[in-house]
């Protein structure tokens, strides 16, 4: 296993821990501001400020030409993230963090299986296999078990 692969696994595991932590924090913010959508918007504003500072500190500000050359669908990521943040803020109080994350991961894996199979957005095509389907089924079982 290469060090880059190991670092990528650690980075995304930390990202996953952040997602688990973000949902209840944003839900609490939503209870204070009176609306989960407002809390999601505030979360995005804070995130946009943080990322903008990092971009500027790294000197990686893209040019207008670079941004204009991106395909139309490359601009949808923020909207998809907004759906996630709203759904997490709205559902975590009802489901709890564990079940919310299990459902999140189930949805991610189901979509990932399809995206890999069709090579969406320039990804390398990866076949649907019984082991990949079993992985999703195990997460689905974990989702059910999280509610027992």
């Amino acid at each position: 296993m290469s060090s880059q692969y190991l670092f990528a696994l650690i980075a995304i595991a930390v990202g996953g821990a952040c997602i688990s932590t973000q949902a209840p924090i944003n839900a609490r913010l939503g209870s204070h501001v009176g609306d989960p959508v407002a809390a999601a918007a505030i979360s995005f504003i804070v995130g946009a400020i943080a990322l903008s500072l990092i971009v500027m500190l790294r000197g990686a500000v893209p040019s207008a030409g670079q941004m204009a050359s991106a395909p139309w669908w490359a601009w949808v990521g923020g909207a998809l993230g907004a759906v996630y943040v709203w759904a997490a803020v709205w559902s975590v109080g009802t489901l709890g963090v564990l079940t919310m994350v299990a459902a999140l991961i189930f949805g991610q894996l189901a979509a990932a299986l399809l995206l890999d199979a069709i090579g969406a957005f320039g990804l390398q095509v990866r076949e649907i296999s019984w082991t990949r389907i079993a992985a999703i089924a195990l997460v689905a079982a974990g989702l059910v078990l999280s509610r027992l």
Side-chain angles (χ1 to χ4, degrees):
M1 183 180 320
S2 73
S3 60
Q4 182 178 2
Y5 187 84
L6 182 60
F7 183 72
L9 284 175
I10 292 168
I12 200 62
V14 169
C18 290
I19 285 173
S20 293
T21 307
Q22 179 190 33
I25 287 172
N26 284 346
R28 178 55 63 105
L29 178 61
S31 70
H32 284 280
V33 299
D35 181 52
V37 176
I42 293 166
S43 176
F44 264 78
I45 291 166
V46 172
I49 291 169
L51 288 171
S52 296
L53 290 172
I54 292 168
V55 166
M56 287 187 289
L57 289 172
R58 293 179 60 226
V61 179
S63 70
Q66 288 171 311
M67 291 188 289
S69 70
W72 69 267
W73 49 261
W75 295 91
V76 178
L80 296 174
V83 171
Y84 155 70
V85 171
W86 168 80
V89 169
W90 181 79
S91 67
V92 72
T94 301
L95 300 176
V97 178
L98 179 67
T99 301
M100 188 267 313
V101 170
L104 168 74
I105 293 169
F106 176 77
Q108 287 177 320
L109 289 175
L113 184 71
L114 176 64
L115 294 171
D116 274 353
I118 64 173
F121 311 114
L123 295 172
Q124 175 184 343
V125 173
R126 297 176 193 271
E127 291 183 24
I128 295 175
S129 66
W130 73 267
T131 55
R132 293 176 136 221
I133 292 171
I136 295 171
L138 288 171
V139 170
L143 174 56
V144 171
L145 289 174
S146 76
R147 296 306 296 169
L148 298 179

